Amino acid sequence: SLSSSSLGYGAAWGYSDPDAARARAQAECAKAGANDCAVRVSVANSCAALVMSPQANHVFAVTDADKVTASAVALAQCQADGSGDCVVQANFCGGGA
């Protein structure tokens, strides 16, 4: 779950119920002080990486079968956008992987 305005985010994994995972991610995002959180990616049976550029206020969320690949692609997208402060904020897999 990501905030478009503040770069706040929340993630949840290890849940068998997708609704419970979404609710947890929303709650985590709200705890970061954001009030415009929205679920951007679901990682059921896949992996995801969340890369942020605080300077440019940009967020890149990428899913892939491999979390290392997801991170590399998200970082490349961020850097291609011209951001020099790209950082991986989260990197995880759903489905217990």
Side-chain angles (χ1 to χ4, degrees), residues 66-97:
D66 178 74
K67 68 181 178 181
V68 174
T69 301
S71 293
V73 171
L75 273 172
Q77 287 180 354
C78 183
Q79 291 162 349
D81 195 49
S83 300
D85 64 336
C86 303
V87 62
V88 176
Q89 293 291 334
N91 164 311
F92 52 87
C93 298

Side-chain angles (χ1 to χ4, degrees), residues 1-12 21-40 50 52 59:
S1 181
L2 300 172
S3 164
S4 297
S5 63
S6 70
L7 295 187
Y9 70 95
R22 279 192 286 274
R24 172 65 187 269
Q26 292 285 83
E28 291 295 318
C29 185
K31 271 204 291 194
N35 61 5
D36 62 341
C37 300
V39 174
R40 299 281 179 91
L50 179 65
M52 293 183 178
V59 177

Side-chain angles (χ1 to χ4, degrees), residues 12-67:
W13 55 91
Y15 286 81
S16 58
D17 177 13
D19 290 334
R22 279 192 286 274
R24 172 65 187 269
Q26 292 285 83
E28 291 295 318
C29 185
K31 271 204 291 194
N35 61 5
D36 62 341
C37 300
V39 174
R40 299 281 179 91
V41 294
S42 171
V43 293
N45 302 315
S46 68
C47 301
L50 179 65
V51 171
M52 293 183 178
S53 166
Q55 229 170 28
N57 198 35
H58 289 163
V59 177
F60 300 84
V62 173
T63 58
D64 191 88
D66 178 74
K67 68 181 178 181

